[in-house]
Amino acid sequence: MNLKIYQSYYLEEQIKELDSNLIPYDNTKNSNPELRELPLWKDLLEKHKDSDAHWGLLSWRWSQKTDVRPLIFKEWILSNPGFDVYHLDPFSHLPAEFPNLWVQGEVWHPGMLEFARKLFVKLGIEGSVEKYKYLPDDFATCNYFVGNSKFWVSYLNFIDRCLTYCQEDESMFRYIYKEGQQYNGHFVPYFSFVVERLFSMHNILNRHIKVIKFK
């Protein structure tokens, strides 16, 4: 398998936190911080879309959030060939506590449920958000995933589709770009917390894409 796992940093002092088993990704220019990883993903897709690579972009805070060494994650991917996307979620208790990540998100990011109700209608998902049941392997709270071009093209198109819905709806636009909260000492718009949840939604709505979750 052609495996390329990058680890981004946006301050020079974060370089010391990077793992030698990953490829450093320089994001010190950080020209669109409010969009988080999205511009970086699109940049890497342009680089790898015509290759057979499985690639991903991990945070410099990987070691702070997981108890899994990057080398172990890489070896797990290599020992499980045949999947389009591989992911890890450090918060393994959530499936036992919440039906899905939108309900979980409301606890930490008020207004998430109302946003999700509007998104579900636009995506053609019937029923209430509160009763929408994820499988345990669908839960993914961090952008810790590695995929091939089949996955990345589909996923980034899905994100763009959802962002278009937000552009067309004033309340959805306001929620993801204008509203937010303090996070690690900075004001962070809800954009990043919504996009984190789109990974799970994309996988649920595209079961033809083969997904495996690190146990």
Side-chain angles (χ1 to χ4, degrees), residues 22 24 51 61 92-93 161 172 182:
L22 306 178
S51 76
R61 298 179 64 212
S92 58
H93 61 284
R161 177 183 166 196
M172 295 176 74
Q182 291 295 317

Side-chain angles (χ1 to χ4, degrees), residues 3-7 22-23 41 44 48 54-58 143-147 152:
L3 184 59
K4 306 284 187 182
I5 306 183
Y6 299 84
Q7 190 171 28
L22 306 178
I23 304 168
W41 290 337
L44 287 169
H48 294 298
H54 279 72
W55 61 269
L57 179 68
L58 305 181
N143 294 320
Y144 293 162
F145 45 82
V146 172
W152 278 110

Side-chain angles (χ1 to χ4, degrees), residues 13-215:
E13 54 262 37
Q14 295 166 354
I15 294 177
K16 65 180 182 296
E17 302 292 338
L18 304 184
D19 191 280
S20 61
N21 291 288
L22 306 178
I23 304 168
Y25 184 101
D26 185 351
N27 187 35
T28 51
K29 291 183 179 179
N30 202 22
S31 55
N32 297 106
E34 73 282 0
L35 299 182
R36 312 296 279 191
E37 290 92 345
L38 185 56
L40 315 186
W41 290 337
K42 290 186 175 183
D43 174 64
L44 287 169
L45 178 59
E46 282 301 308
K47 182 176 181 178
H48 294 298
K49 67 181 181 181
D50 296 323
S51 76
D52 64 350
H54 279 72
W55 61 269
L57 179 68
L58 305 181
S59 165
W60 68 275
R61 298 179 64 212
W62 168 278
S63 296
Q64 297 178 21
K65 287 193 170 184
T66 78
D67 291 322
V68 180
R69 289 185 291 117
L71 180 60
I72 298 297
F73 187 51
K74 288 179 68 174
E75 290 176 342
W76 169 73
I77 293 172
L78 293 170
S79 65
N80 289 278
F83 292 88
D84 298 309
V85 59
Y86 302 76
H87 75 101
L88 179 152
D89 185 3
F91 302 104
S92 58
H93 61 284
L94 294 181
E97 299 180 14
F98 300 96
N100 61 63
L101 287 174
W102 302 104
V103 175
Q104 180 268 343
E106 180 69 20
V107 177
W108 305 102
H109 319 301
M112 185 74 75
L113 273 180
E114 184 59 30
F115 175 89
R117 291 186 187 105
K118 295 175 181 178
L119 181 63
F120 273 37
V121 171
K122 295 179 183 295
L123 291 174
I125 300 174
E126 298 180 353
S128 71
V129 177
E130 291 86 345
K131 294 182 180 179
Y132 194 80
K133 185 71 174 176
Y134 283 16
L135 299 175
D137 282 1
D138 294 327
F139 279 76
T141 55
C142 299
N143 294 320
Y144 293 162
F145 45 82
V146 172
N148 57 17
S149 288
K150 177 181 178 181
F151 159 74
W152 278 110
V153 169
S154 178
Y155 177 52
L156 293 182
N157 283 340
F158 179 69
I159 291 177
D160 285 343
R161 177 183 166 196
C162 292
L163 294 181
T164 297
Y165 294 146
C166 294
Q167 294 284 344
E168 297 169 346
D169 186 293
E170 181 180 353
S171 64
M172 295 176 74
F173 179 89
R174 183 176 63 252
Y175 182 74
I176 66 168
Y177 291 113
K178 304 299 183 182
E179 298 180 22
Q181 63 191 94
Q182 291 295 317
Y183 186 74
N184 290 332
H186 303 281
F187 177 80
V188 179
Y190 286 135
F191 177 93
S192 58
F193 304 111
V194 166
V195 171
E196 280 179 344
R197 286 161 175 77
L198 294 183
F199 174 75
S200 295
M201 287 304 307
H202 168 267
N203 295 341
I204 291 168
L205 297 174
N206 295 275
R207 292 297 191 190
H208 64 285
I209 292 178
K210 298 177 65 177
V211 182
I212 184 172
K213 183 176 182 179
F214 187 93
K215 303 298 183 184

